[in-house]
Amino acid sequence: MMKINNFPEEILEVIFSHLPLKDRKNVSLVRRDWARLAFSRPCLESTELNIDGSKAADVSPLEHSQRKYRFVCFRMDCSSLENRQLEGIRSVLCKFSCTIMRLRFVWDTMDVPFDLRLLLHLIEFTPSLRELIVEDSTNQYDEQNVDPSVEIQSFHNLEKLTIPNCVMDNIQFDVARLAPNVKHVSLSTTGRHLWTALHLVGAQIRSMSLKTETKGVFRQLWAIEPYSLEKLHLHRLCSDLMEPSDLKLNDVVVFFSQCRVLTVLGLELQVPCSVIQLIANSCPTLKSLLVYEIEEGWPLLKMLQQFENLESLTVRVAHFEVKPSEDEDLRLGKLKSLTLDGVEFENPFDFFHQLGQFAPRLQELQFAQYDDSCNENYHLTVLKAVLQLKLPLLMKLVLFDNSSYFPSHVFNQFNLFPKLKELRLAYCGLSAWNRSIVVPGVEKLALDIYELTTFQLRNLLKMFPSLVTLDAVEPEDPLNFRIDDLPRTSLLCDFNVRKRGFNIIDEWVL
């Protein structure tokens, strides 16, 4: 048997590249050549250098670093930057200017409006930048924030852009000038200053994600020539397609017919089923769909059978009555991901029994209940119906109910899903405990339990012996939550505890 000490360096680099940063540091202490390989460039491709604005003055640990960071995240978490902080950020960007390929700029302060000039100033030091991600955690609108000194330079290497409202709604920002060769865009905007830029670069874009709250703005999208478009995701596509007789639908059909190589299409629709029927007739390549406010759930599912390539479906605020007997042959053969958000059932057991038949390849299921008007018995009935699903390929299950407790005695039901690897729960709390349950298959567990105690967390670690990742939200009273008292099994997995303000459910529910 070949020992790991005799492995070629190329194989060791691949092995080390799959280790978390903490384990990589431990590996680097074993041998000198391992230290060199553990922090070689291939192993650092997934490592992101994080810089907080409030701590940017002291970057001395990076001055002698031999690492070559490719990904950098700068978080603006203070109202202003002093000269020492600016110099620290500038020195970091200059040191890694030739290797930085992705820059993430996070605006995390409400004291001052978004500073477009600061963003443009920082990316001047990254000539090799290929991806720019801008995040605004405060959801600002900076359309009126005009600075005459702002000039948009061109970065010809930029291929990927993620831009929020605070930038897109600024009349001084120009996507086409900033990234004339952009191929992948994810934009969130009110739409006022969007279409001119997209018309200039539309023919070269390969993937596009547009999100807007303004009514009617998608009407100008249909005039873009999307000859190279492969992936498309449109949020809030509702105002243009409210009625089947709407003449604008003809423009939509022409637009889709020009997408010669369209492989992934995602739509968010708040429209009658008759409009969805027209889209099904004109765009059979659709793979991802979100629909909401549907009165008749079963006719919708029957209609979706026309999308033969449909892999991901999200249904929000819908009602499912008793399934008609004539729809016995209902089948969504390629559906892999299903999200049910605020859906009501006349007979939950009937629906989830049928789900195992018409979506046999389902791998991910997310179910969220919001209706506080329903009694506890209804929520418990729905949960029991979900846990009696017969889905042999299910790998990820998300259950969210902000109005009731999760009955811990049903944890044993998760063993009925032989391939279940990831489980996420968000509830007010856990009910009485049953210590005899063991769920060996789950490797990733995420919890947003409002009354999670150290006792409950300790038992959860015993219940899921194969955990690789545990993600928990810290209770409101952290003094009663002593992580040091947890068993040693918590050291065998990546254990993340988040503050209550950063709710992990925000990532789950669309």
Side-chain angles (χ1 to χ4, degrees):
M1 180 180 294
M2 187 176 184
K3 297 182 178 180
I4 191 172
N5 293 339
N6 299 326
F7 281 12
E9 290 189 354
E10 294 79 6
I11 296 180
L12 289 174
E13 281 187 350
V14 174
I15 295 175
F16 295 158
S17 67
H18 287 80
L19 295 177
L21 186 58
K22 180 180 178 181
D23 295 338
R24 207 176 300 164
K25 291 180 180 178
N26 295 334
V27 165
S28 67
L29 300 177
V30 177
R31 295 174 51 173
R32 182 171 298 179
D33 56 340
W34 283 21
R36 174 176 56 83
L37 295 174
F39 292 103
S40 63
R41 178 171 177 174
C43 289
L44 289 173
E45 289 184 356
S46 60
T47 302
E48 186 174 75
L49 174 62
N50 294 285
I51 307 173
D52 291 340
S54 57
K55 303 176 183 178
D58 184 15
V59 293
S60 55
L62 293 172
E63 293 180 357
H64 305 289
S65 175
Q66 298 300 316
R67 307 180 190 179
K68 297 180 180 180
Y69 286 99
R70 303 178 68 192
F71 306 150
V72 173
C73 172
F74 171 72
R75 182 178 298 275
M76 183 63 182
D77 59 349
C78 52
S79 58
S80 61
L81 293 176
E82 300 177 355
N83 289 333
R84 290 180 63 244
Q85 294 169 323
L86 283 172
E87 287 297 327
I89 299 170
R90 188 180 294 112
S91 64
V92 171
L93 296 178
C94 289
K95 179 177 178 61
F96 305 111
S97 61
C98 296
T99 59
I100 295 178
M101 300 183 65
R102 184 181 71 195
L103 175 65
R104 196 156 62 96
F105 184 87
V106 182
W107 193 264
D108 199 14
T109 175
M110 298 184 64
D111 299 336
V112 292
F114 188 93
D115 193 341
L116 177 61
R117 187 168 59 87
L118 174 61
L119 169 64
L120 297 175
H121 178 64
L122 293 182
I123 62 178
E124 288 180 0
F125 300 98
T126 55
S128 302
L129 193 65
R130 298 184 61 184
E131 181 177 3
L132 175 62
I133 303 173
V134 183
E135 300 177 12
D136 179 22
S137 58
T138 59
N139 243 350
Q140 302 181 62
Y141 289 84
D142 287 355
E143 184 179 357
Q144 303 301 324
N145 183 28
V146 177
D147 184 350
S149 63
V150 172
E151 294 184 5
I152 306 295
Q153 299 184 15
S154 296
F155 296 85
H156 296 275
N157 291 325
L158 265 178
E159 296 183 354
K160 296 183 179 180
L161 283 178
T162 301
I163 306 296
N165 284 320
C166 62
V167 180
M168 283 304 302
D169 291 341
N170 193 312
I171 60 177
Q172 295 173 289
F173 184 72
D174 189 339
V175 173
R177 179 179 291 274
L178 178 74
N181 298 319
V182 65
K183 294 180 175 60
H184 311 275
V185 295
S186 179
L187 308 176
S188 178
T189 174
T190 59
R192 292 186 177 91
H193 316 296
L194 168 68
W195 305 109
T196 302
L198 288 184
H199 277 82
L200 292 175
V201 299
Q204 69 191 36
I205 292 181
R206 296 180 182 175
S207 67
M208 182 179 353
S209 175
L210 303 179
K211 183 175 183 178
T212 178
E213 302 293 335
T214 302
K215 294 183 178 180
V217 296
F218 283 113
R219 294 174 183 173
Q220 301 180 59
L221 171 63
W222 317 127
I224 296 176
E225 299 178 349
Y227 298 134
S228 60
L229 195 61
E230 298 176 359
K231 298 182 180 181
L232 174 65
H233 190 188
L234 304 179
H235 302 254
R236 304 289 181 180
L237 179 58
C238 54
S239 57
D240 285 357
L241 305 174
M242 286 307 297
E243 297 295 337
S245 59
D246 193 340
L247 295 178
K248 303 179 188 65
L249 187 61
N250 295 330
D251 299 330
V252 181
V253 174
V254 172
F255 175 85
F256 288 145
S257 66
Q258 293 176 341
C259 301
R260 302 296 184 185
V261 291
L262 190 63
T263 56
V264 177
L265 174 61
L267 301 179
E268 296 188 10
L269 300 171
Q270 185 184 7
V271 297
C273 288
S274 53
V275 174
I276 299 177
Q277 178 67 60
L278 286 176
I279 295 178
N281 295 337
S282 61
C283 188
T285 60
L286 184 138
K287 289 189 175 182
S288 174
L289 177 65
L290 183 151
V291 294
Y292 48 98
E293 295 191 8
I294 300 296
E295 292 294 331
E296 301 177 348
W298 288 112
L300 170 68
L301 294 180
K302 184 177 181 180
M303 188 182 308
L304 294 181
Q305 293 182 104
Q306 298 183 54
F307 298 111
E308 297 180 355
N309 298 315
L310 188 65
E311 296 181 356
S312 176
L313 173 63
T314 299
V315 181
R316 300 187 63 182
V317 191
H319 182 76
F320 283 84
E321 298 180 350
V322 178
K323 182 176 180 291
S325 58
E326 64 269 14
D327 292 340
E328 295 296 337
D329 58 345
L330 179 64
R331 192 169 183 84
L332 298 173
K334 293 189 177 181
L335 191 66
K336 297 180 180 179
S337 176
L338 175 63
T339 298
L340 301 172
D341 188 358
V343 176
E344 297 182 3
F345 306 101
E346 289 287 336
N347 188 334
F349 286 97
D350 177 63
F351 174 84
F352 287 103
H353 174 72
Q354 297 291 338
L355 177 62
Q357 297 180 0
F358 70 76
R361 298 185 182 180
L362 203 63
Q363 298 179 9
E364 298 182 7
L365 174 62
Q366 174 174 309
F367 181 74
Q369 298 190 90
Y370 295 95
D371 195 352
D372 296 338
S373 63
C374 296
N375 55 40
E376 184 74 18
N377 290 333
Y378 172 79
H379 286 204
L380 184 59
T381 299
V382 175
L383 177 61
K384 289 181 178 179
V386 173
L387 295 178
Q388 291 184 17
L389 269 170
K390 291 180 171 57
L391 293 172
L393 301 181
L394 191 69
M395 301 178 64
K396 177 180 178 180
L397 179 62
V398 180
L399 299 174
F400 176 30
D401 187 349
N402 64 353
S403 60
S404 63
Y405 285 70
F406 186 86
S408 56
H409 65 275
V410 303
F411 272 113
N412 195 44
Q413 296 292 113
F414 295 124
N415 286 313
L416 298 178
F417 305 114
K419 292 192 176 183
L420 187 65
K421 300 296 182 183
E422 182 174 352
L423 176 64
R424 296 184 172 187
L425 299 176
Y427 280 78
C428 292
L430 298 176
S431 64
W433 202 265
N434 186 333
R435 303 184 185 181
S436 61
I437 299 175
V438 176
V439 186
V442 175
E443 298 179 355
K444 184 175 182 179
L445 177 65
L447 300 169
D448 186 0
I449 306 296
Y450 279 81
E451 298 178 2
L452 183 68
T453 64
T454 307
F455 168 79
Q456 292 173 333
L457 187 56
R458 184 163 54 245
N459 282 327
L460 283 169
L461 288 168
K462 296 177 181 178
M463 180 182 296
F464 298 96
S466 303
L467 279 185
V468 176
T469 301
L470 173 60
D471 195 339
V473 170
E474 185 179 15
E476 296 179 358
D477 186 5
L479 296 178
N480 296 327
F481 190 75
R482 293 193 290 269
I483 300 177
D484 296 337
D485 295 339
L486 295 177
R488 289 186 57 84
T489 51
S490 63
L491 302 177
L492 302 178
C493 63
D494 292 333
F495 186 23
N496 306 312
V497 179
R498 305 193 189 187
K499 298 292 184 182
R500 175 61 61 187
F502 299 93
N503 195 319
I504 53 179
I505 287 303
D506 293 339
E507 304 174 4
W508 308 346
V509 182
L510 295 176

